[in-house]
């Protein structure tokens, strides 16, 4: 260090001008900060309550949302116009994609040839790809092996065997939804994954029940979606049903209980409860469904009398997993298969029937109110095999 630098250093430390910088200043800095804490701390104290005040509607949210009861009004329940095509034609059209996939594959391998092991293996692959399930596919091929092996066989004959075996699998589960008079109201809980058609199915079911002369109350239990609540109100107006609702985000289990109380007071024969769509692999959402079932049982220990699972045919093999999980959580008692008109995988209904044996109450092949019909095993089997009645 040069002499000038030394003088400058000592001058700064011991010179006549101590104010600019002294060695004590760095150590006194914390004391200086502590000496004037009022301003910054005061700012923090003032800001925090301001933010809390802005977010304090929390207690208000914990209070029950106002119950909305949309009273039933008389409506004309007759169809707006004669159907342009009967149910059989709708069913054939709706299953057209599944039927085409099956019949074209069968036609490609059965061209007046002898039935051998290779042909049967090809047929089994086609049946499995149509989601008919391994058990059904093997049963069909074994029937052909036993009766027609090493003989010539046409694709029409194969499709006849296909229809016969599918009908055998489905006939035991083709059961209508029975509303018993022993419980009033009869409680129907509708469950399923997102987009499976629960709310639309409820609307169509409400129309059918109303046409049977039953008084219906609908519970808008899909409180996650404002659109679902409004949709159910529209269906209530169309079908002459009372609708019980709360604002979006309300407790679904509490709403279900209120709907049961209201249904008993207004003398309803049936109360149908909608629920939010939930993926079967989301444990917290399935736990909420369990809570709804528990709350319903507090009102009526025998309820829900029916737990209907809506299955979207377009989900294919995932439907098997849905039946298994929803069955464990909610005690599914019956099925409605929807959107058969939107897929080539309509055979999944056969696989589900074979595995679980649950009643199939209805199938849907469109969006219209008339596009939900009681399930008929023979009609379904012939339509999927591309045969006429």
């Amino acid at each position: 260090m040069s002499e000038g630098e030394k003088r400058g250093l000592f001058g700064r430390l011991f010179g006549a001008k101590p104010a600019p910088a002294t060695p004590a200043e760095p150590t006194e800095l914390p004391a200086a900060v502590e000496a004037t804490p009022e301003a910054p701390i005061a700012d923090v104290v003032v800001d925090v309550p301001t933010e809390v005040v802005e977010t304090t509607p929390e207690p208000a949210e914990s209070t029950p949302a106002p119950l909305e009861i949309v009273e039933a009004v008389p409506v004309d329940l007759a169809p707006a116009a004669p159907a342009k095509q009967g149910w059989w034609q709708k069913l054939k059209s709706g299953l057209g994609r599944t039927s085409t996939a099956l019949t074209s594959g069968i036609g490609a391998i059965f061209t007046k040839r002898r039935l051998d092991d290779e042909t049967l293996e090809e047929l089994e692959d086609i049946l499995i790809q149509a989601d008919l399930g391994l058990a059904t596919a093997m049963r069909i091929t074994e029937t052909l092996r036993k009766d027609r092996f090493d003989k010539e066989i046409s694709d029409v004959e194969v499709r006849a065997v296909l229809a016969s075996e599918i009908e055998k699998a489905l006939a035991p589960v083709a059961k209508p939804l029975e509303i018993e008079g022993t419980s009033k109201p009869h409680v129907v809980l509708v469950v399923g994954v997102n987009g499976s058609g629960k709310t639309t199915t409820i609307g169509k079911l409400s129309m059918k029940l109303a046409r049977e002369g039953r008084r219906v109350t609908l519970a808008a239990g899909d409180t996650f979606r404002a659109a679902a609540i409004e949709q159910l109100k529209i269906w209530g107006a169309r079908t002459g049903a009372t609708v019980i609702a709360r604002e979006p985000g309300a407790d679904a289990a509490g709403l279900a209980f209120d709907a049961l109380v209201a249904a008993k007071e207004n003398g309803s024969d049936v109360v149908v409860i909608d629920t939010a769509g939930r993926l079967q692999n989301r444990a917290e959402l399935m736990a909420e469904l369990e809570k709804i079932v528990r709350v319903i049982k507090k009102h009526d220990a025998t309820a829900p009398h029916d737990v209907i699972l809506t299955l979207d045919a377009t989900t294919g093999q995932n439907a098997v997993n849905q039946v298994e999980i929803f069955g464990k959580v909610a005690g599914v008692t019956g099925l409605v298969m929807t959107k058969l008109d939107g897929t080539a995988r309509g055979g999944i209904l056969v696989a589900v029937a074979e595995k679980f044996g649950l009643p199939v109450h209805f199938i849907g092949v469109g969006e219209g109110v008339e596009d939900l019909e009681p399930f008929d095993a023979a009609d379904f089997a012939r339509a999927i095999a591309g045969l006429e009645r």
Side-chain angles (χ1 to χ4, degrees), residues 37-38 43 64 109 153 171 201 341 352 367 383:
E38 290 80 358
D43 288 343
I109 60 175
I153 186 170
T201 297
D341 54 324
V352 168
E367 293 296 322

Side-chain angles (χ1 to χ4, degrees), residues 112-165:
K112 294 288 184 180
R113 61 187 282 187
R114 288 183 179 276
L115 189 64
D116 56 20
D117 288 328
E118 183 182 349
T119 307
L120 287 171
E121 286 181 12
E122 290 181 48
L123 174 61
E124 191 172 286
D125 288 343
I126 290 170
L127 300 177
I128 292 172
Q129 288 170 16
D131 281 325
L132 286 168
L134 181 60
T136 301
M138 291 180 63
R139 193 172 61 252
I140 291 169
T141 54
E142 285 305 308
T143 299
L144 289 169
R145 184 189 300 276
K146 182 177 64 175
D147 297 337
R148 303 301 298 270
F149 192 77
D150 204 27
K151 299 176 183 176
E152 285 191 357
I153 186 170
S154 69
D155 65 317
V156 175
E157 291 173 297
V158 173
R159 287 191 280 130
V161 173
L162 172 65
S164 175
E165 292 300 325

Side-chain angles (χ1 to χ4, degrees), residues 21-229:
T22 67
E25 209 170 300
T27 58
E28 289 177 1
L29 184 58
V33 172
E34 290 177 9
T36 57
E38 290 80 358
I41 291 175
D43 288 343
V44 173
V45 172
V46 171
D47 286 346
V48 170
T50 303
E51 292 177 7
V52 172
V53 169
E54 290 176 358
T55 58
T56 46
E58 286 269 310
E61 290 179 2
S62 64
T63 60
L67 186 66
E68 181 180 0
I69 301 179
V70 182
E71 297 290 353
V73 295
V75 295
D76 183 5
L77 299 173
K84 292 182 179 179
Q85 59 178 176
W87 172 247
W88 168 248
Q89 291 302 320
K90 285 184 181 180
L91 182 60
K92 275 187 64 181
S93 176
L95 286 169
R97 292 175 63 180
T98 303
S99 174
T100 299
L102 276 169
T103 57
S104 61
I106 291 171
I109 60 175
F110 289 95
T111 52
K112 294 288 184 180
R113 61 187 282 187
R114 288 183 179 276
L115 189 64
D116 56 20
D117 288 328
E118 183 182 349
T119 307
L120 287 171
E121 286 181 12
E122 290 181 48
L123 174 61
E124 191 172 286
D125 288 343
I126 290 170
L127 300 177
I128 292 172
Q129 288 170 16
D131 281 325
L132 286 168
L134 181 60
T136 301
M138 291 180 63
R139 193 172 61 252
I140 291 169
T141 54
E142 285 305 308
T143 299
L144 289 169
R145 184 189 300 276
K146 182 177 64 175
D147 297 337
R148 303 301 298 270
F149 192 77
D150 204 27
K151 299 176 183 176
E152 285 191 357
I153 186 170
S154 69
D155 65 317
V156 175
E157 291 173 297
V158 173
R159 287 191 280 130
V161 173
L162 172 65
S164 175
E165 292 300 325
I166 289 176
E167 182 179 353
K168 286 178 185 177
L170 294 178
V173 301
K175 298 178 181 178
L177 179 65
E178 296 181 353
I179 307 298
E180 300 176 356
T182 53
S183 300
K184 189 172 180 178
H186 187 98
V187 181
V188 180
L189 181 67
V190 182
V191 300
V193 301
N194 300 296
S196 62
K198 294 182 303 300
T199 306
T200 301
T201 297
I202 288 171
K204 295 175 182 179
L205 178 59
S206 177
M207 179 66 82
K208 290 187 176 298
L209 293 171
R211 286 175 178 171
E212 292 173 3
R214 302 181 191 276
R215 183 164 185 173
V216 180
T217 290
L218 304 178
D222 186 354
T223 56
F224 288 166
R225 293 193 308 128
I229 298 171

